[in-house]
Amino acid sequence: KMAGSSAPWIGSAYLFLQSTCKTIVLPSLYESSQKKPSVFKALKLALADSTGSVNGVDMLKVHCSHPHLIVQLKFCKQENCRRFLQSYREGALQESLQNHLQLSLAMTTVPLEMELKAGNEHLDNMLKDEDRCLECIYREKPDRLRDEEITELEECLKSLIVHQSINNNTAIKGCASLNSPSLPCPSQGISLSPQVTFIFQGQQFANRTLTPDDHQKFAKLVSKKWKQVGRSLQKNCRALRDPVIDNLALEYDREGLYEQAYQLLLRFIQSEGKKATIARLIAALEENGLISLAEELLGLHSNEDCS
């Protein structure tokens, strides 16, 4: 339980993970329904090692952004965050995760590179100043609740540990039995779909990958707010970090707002592939008050309403 203060210490950070071995691609392993439970288990155990407690740090979501696996972390106690930072700085977290991945995936070795960020701050550049790192993490409040998929994987992991059968075949059975569209059976031959449906304005819509028509409508109608939408999308899209957005503004300044917005979404689509979905774009539009444009993309406006 949290300390009984009126305002608990809560902060958030992103851990970027990349394998330095060309044959091991972490996002691909995580997208595989067979390997996902094993990768999750390794992450969970390494994070528990880093704080000395299973509940020391919470995983809110795991993003696949090739070649990186990006883990969104939430800390509920300053001392847990401090322990995590010490473990990260000393290389203990890296070593622990490499070992757990090696065991979980039955591989000889899984060499890793790590990067830690809070907002726009690269914490790797200031690790010696622990208080400043803590301040940056505290400033970044989590922007989401824990992803449903993480909850399912946690349950799956618990049941695996109870049955003491931690091999991949059991992992698949354990997780596929969870009646969930976000954990497809291997036989379906599809990688993880972000979400099948989403809610907008109280209505349910099918999620889908962005189309050329969406792309053009967005570029035509978003106007000056394209940068703000880009910053909302950048939370889960490494290809849209601030320098990229600023560079697009300069590079396409002469061509005007349409081209700037078009190029922004192009970067998003190219980097995210099938995960560049309408749900993610609608969420970014909603966040910036662009409800009319969101309705336009979802076909809620009749033709007469279009200007």
Side-chain angles (χ1 to χ4, degrees), residues 117 119-122 226-228 230-232 234 237-249 264:
K117 287 181 73 177
N120 294 322
E121 298 287 352
H122 290 258
W226 69 270
K227 269 189 174 183
Q228 285 159 263
R231 293 209 169 92
S232 293
Q234 86 181 174
C237 176
R238 208 165 184 237
L240 294 180
R241 287 179 300 183
D242 272 343
V244 176
I245 295 174
D246 294 337
N247 289 346
L248 287 175
L264 172 88

Side-chain angles (χ1 to χ4, degrees), residues 24 29 34-35 37-39 41-42 97-110 166-169:
I24 300 171
L29 288 171
Q34 282 172 287
K35 303 286 186 196
S38 302
V39 177
K41 180 187 165 208
L97 184 52
Q98 284 176 172
N99 292 340
H100 285 302
L101 283 168
Q102 199 175 324
L103 287 168
S104 288
L105 297 165
M107 290 180 168
T108 48
T109 176
V110 185
I166 305 169
N167 60 44
N168 275 348
N169 293 335

Side-chain angles (χ1 to χ4, degrees), residues 246-288:
D246 294 337
N247 289 346
L248 287 175
L250 290 169
E251 205 177 327
Y252 296 97
D253 185 39
R254 284 188 172 180
E255 285 87 342
L257 293 170
Y258 174 90
E259 194 58 34
Q260 288 169 328
Y262 187 89
Q263 291 297 329
L264 172 88
L265 207 57
L266 182 64
R267 294 285 194 291
F268 178 66
I269 290 166
Q270 284 173 338
S271 101
E272 297 294 294
K274 288 179 182 172
K275 293 205 191 78
T277 59
I278 190 75
R280 288 173 73 180
L281 183 56
I282 295 297
L285 294 173
E286 258 192 298
E287 198 172 295
N288 292 289

Side-chain angles (χ1 to χ4, degrees), residues 55-113:
N55 303 314
V57 54
D58 205 6
M59 277 189 274
L60 295 184
K61 186 166 176 66
V62 178
H63 306 273
C64 293
S65 179
H66 290 262
H68 291 94
L69 198 64
I70 308 171
V71 188
Q72 187 174 1
L73 303 172
K74 175 187 173 186
F75 299 92
C76 288
K77 285 185 179 174
Q78 186 174 337
E79 56 266 37
N80 287 337
C81 190
R82 197 181 286 280
R83 277 194 214 111
F84 168 85
L85 284 169
Q86 285 164 356
S87 173
Y88 181 84
R89 185 178 64 234
E90 291 160 9
L93 174 64
Q94 184 170 354
E95 195 180 329
S96 171
L97 184 52
Q98 284 176 172
N99 292 340
H100 285 302
L101 283 168
Q102 199 175 324
L103 287 168
S104 288
L105 297 165
M107 290 180 168
T108 48
T109 176
V110 185
L112 289 177
E113 268 182 8

Side-chain angles (χ1 to χ4, degrees), residues 216-230:
Q216 289 195 330
K217 275 184 183 169
F218 171 80
K220 187 176 160 191
L221 299 170
V222 72
S223 191
K224 289 176 184 171
K225 282 199 170 180
W226 69 270
K227 269 189 174 183
Q228 285 159 263
V229 175

